[in-house]
Amino acid sequence: MRTYAGEDVVLGLDLGGTAFKSALIGRDGAHEFVGRHRSGRELGPDAVVDHVLDHAAASVAEATRRGAVVRAVGVAACGVVDEAAGVAVFSSAFRWRDVPLRDRVAERLGLPVALGHDVRAGGVAEARLGAGVGHDVFLFVPIGTGVGAAIMIGGRPFVGAHWRAGELGHTVLRAHGRACGCGQRGCVSTVVGGPAIARRHRELANPGDGSAIDAADVARLAAEGDAIAVRVWSEVIDGLADTLVMSVTMLDPSAVVLGGGIARSGDLLLCPLRAELERRLTFQVPPQLLGARFEDESGSLGAGLLAWDLLAGDPPSGA
């Protein structure tokens, strides 16, 4: 555990649907990932906000105890985020609507706060410090509780007219499929998101089984040759390839950077996905398919970079 001798840092918080992650980031981009906690979303929307505030305060206190001077906080939230207004407009994971999260955190901590979108923040981290370096146009696609995308152009995320660009997980992949929290059926996240992967394995292996197998377990079992896990993994690859064909056709990126917890599976994911994607493409130029440098920690790092941008007077994308 690192100690700091009066060094200026910012705190980056990534509010994922399942877990909160935090990092301390220096002016030069040097960073330390310092915490991971369950989101507590089962407790309800107001309780999650309280949990965010408590977690942020505890993280700042710990950084201060270790000698750091926290200058600002970056918060990256899942769902629809209006970064200019500082409002979490909608989150199906937390059941949030129009939560003034930036002001709530700033009031609690007494520090400047930048609010961003978790996936776009992750794209910023990969663009500046990770696998996206050298790519002017690329997609950052993290796969965790759900599936998202940051459309990165010139090192900045494209946010769209209403801060809703990149909601890849809520495009319909399988018509008439499983209900999604957004109100549609058959969305990408219901097919290849982490909980969907685990659920599909349970359906095939032992319907009604309440065991705690997760997507990482499915990946491990597939690597070991377990027949059911191999079948589930093949379905994941198939769904991801179909999804990326749409994205590549629309956006023509030079690279697709895959992140989130599923990125930890490495070549088990990248090699068959690359083959299936290239098989489906016709006139399109196949993008480089890369694993994210920061896997599921890019959001907290990116949130911290947004906090440094705030201190430098750089407005959020789309402002």
Side-chain angles (χ1 to χ4, degrees):
M1 183 179 292
R2 181 180 172 187
T3 57
Y4 298 81
E7 180 181 343
D8 286 349
V9 300
V10 296
L11 174 68
L13 299 177
D14 176 14
L15 310 181
T18 303
F20 297 164
K21 298 174 280 289
S22 57
L24 298 177
I25 301 97
R27 290 186 186 274
D28 60 356
H31 51 275
E32 177 188 12
F33 298 108
V34 294
R36 183 185 182 100
H37 305 277
R38 290 192 60 80
S39 66
R41 61 178 178 167
E42 69 279 359
L43 301 176
D46 293 336
V48 174
V49 173
D50 291 338
H51 192 183
V52 171
L53 300 177
D54 291 344
H55 176 59
S59 297
V60 170
E62 173 63 14
T64 302
R65 186 189 67 79
R66 290 163 57 185
V69 179
V70 180
R71 295 297 186 187
V73 176
V75 179
C78 60
V80 177
V81 178
D82 185 332
E83 298 172 26
V87 174
V89 177
F90 170 74
S91 170
S92 60
F94 299 145
R95 290 178 284 156
W96 282 349
R97 286 192 181 274
D98 299 321
V99 176
L101 195 58
R102 182 180 64 195
D103 290 348
R104 293 287 304 275
V105 176
E107 179 181 5
R108 174 70 176 270
L109 301 180
L111 291 168
V113 175
L115 178 65
H117 183 271
D118 60 343
V119 176
R120 291 196 291 266
V124 169
E126 292 295 336
R128 297 187 192 178
L129 301 172
V133 171
H135 292 279
D136 190 59
V137 179
F138 75 93
L139 293 178
F140 171 59
V141 181
I143 305 170
T145 305
V147 181
I151 305 164
M152 302 301 299
I153 303 173
R156 295 176 69 88
F158 173 73
V159 300
H162 306 97
W163 300 93
R164 287 162 170 79
E167 291 291 341
L168 188 63
H170 295 299
T171 56
V172 176
L173 178 62
R174 302 290 183 247
H176 313 299
R178 189 178 295 271
C180 179
C182 75
Q184 298 188 114
R185 302 190 71 89
C187 290
V188 169
S189 291
T190 69
V191 179
V192 299
I197 295 171
R199 181 179 61 242
R200 179 61 173 154
H201 186 275
R202 289 195 298 271
E203 288 173 350
L204 295 175
N206 188 4
D209 182 8
S211 63
I213 191 169
D214 60 17
D217 295 322
V218 176
R220 174 180 54 79
L221 291 169
E224 294 171 355
D226 176 85
I228 293 175
V230 167
R231 176 178 170 182
V232 173
W233 200 251
S234 177
E235 292 176 0
V236 171
I237 297 299
D238 187 61
L240 278 174
D242 286 344
T243 301
L244 291 180
V245 165
M246 295 186 288
S247 301
V248 170
T249 302
M250 287 292 293
L251 300 168
D252 187 31
S254 64
V256 175
V257 177
L258 292 166
I262 200 170
R264 298 184 187 277
S265 58
D267 286 345
L268 183 71
L269 171 71
L270 295 176
C271 289
L273 181 57
R274 187 177 292 115
E276 285 301 310
L277 180 59
E278 292 180 355
R279 186 175 67 84
R280 286 163 166 79
L281 297 176
T282 54
F283 67 91
Q284 308 92 331
V285 177
Q288 291 187 48
L289 203 59
L290 307 169
R293 176 179 176 186
F294 302 110
E295 296 179 340
D296 65 342
E297 296 170 323
S298 57
S300 54
L301 176 56
L305 295 175
L306 295 179
W308 279 120
D309 289 349
L310 175 67
L311 293 174
D314 187 15
S317 298

